[in-house]
């Protein structure tokens, strides 16, 4: 494949960028992800993960089974779209990691 071939369509990362990250010391998919943003787009590495693992295997001389897949992370909590676009009061979202006051109010009314 040509070095300009796109591996991650979401973030438009090509083979050359992946190989450069490997030369910088990346040895896992998560290392590649940190250095290039590969796998951080809307598909969350569902399309590019195996291609990146194959490139890692080829460049590091390791069997593919020794290259672990990326760590999948689930969303912490649902965020109401109205809060993000400003349609609801900005006081509704207390913290990214805590419950919103709107949700607490809904629980109290039930």
């Amino acid at each position: 494949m040509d070095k300009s071939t796109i591996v991650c369509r979401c973030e438009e990362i090509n083979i050359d960028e992946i190989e450069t990250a490997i030369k910088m010391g990346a040895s896992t998919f998560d290392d590649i992800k940190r250095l290039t943003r590969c796998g951080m787009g809307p598909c969350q590495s569902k399309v590019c993960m195996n291609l990146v693992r194959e490139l890692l295997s080829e460049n590091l001389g390791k069997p593919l089974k020794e290259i672990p897949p990326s760590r999948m992370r689930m969303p912490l909590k649902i965020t109401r779209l109205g809060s993000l676009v400003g349609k609801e009061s900005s006081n509704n979202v207390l913290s990214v990691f805590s419950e919103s006051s709107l949700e607490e109010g809904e629980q109290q009314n039930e």
Side-chain angles (χ1 to χ4, degrees):
M1 283 191 275
D2 187 293
K3 299 282 187 187
S4 65
T5 302
I6 299 290
V7 174
C8 176
R9 294 183 211 162
C10 300
E11 295 294 325
E12 297 182 2
I13 307 297
N14 62 31
I15 290 175
D16 189 45
E17 291 173 281
I18 303 291
E19 290 179 344
T20 300
I22 293 169
K23 289 175 187 169
M24 292 173 59
S27 60
T28 66
F29 184 89
D30 289 325
D31 292 341
I32 299 289
K33 189 175 188 177
R34 284 184 208 98
L35 292 170
T36 65
R37 291 194 47 84
C38 181
M40 295 179 80
C43 83
Q44 293 293 290
S45 75
K46 289 175 183 66
V47 174
C48 62
M49 182 171 40
N50 288 326
L51 295 170
V52 172
R53 288 180 63 226
E54 286 176 20
L55 287 169
L56 281 163
S57 175
E58 289 171 13
N59 284 277
L60 298 175
K62 291 183 176 180
L64 189 59
K65 65 182 179 182
E66 289 183 19
I67 309 291
S70 72
R71 286 187 286 169
M72 299 293 184
R73 296 183 180 166
M74 300 304 288
L76 293 176
K77 109 182 197 40
I78 296 172
T79 302
R80 296 181 184 274
L81 289 176
S83 297
L84 296 174
V85 297
K87 297 218 178 216
E88 296 176 9
S89 169
S90 61
N91 298 342
N92 287 344
V93 180
L94 300 174
S95 169
V96 173
F97 299 106
S98 67
E99 297 294 320
S100 72
S101 60
L102 179 62
E103 289 174 352
E104 289 171 9
E106 287 175 351
Q107 291 172 355
Q108 290 173 357
N109 293 336
E110 291 177 359

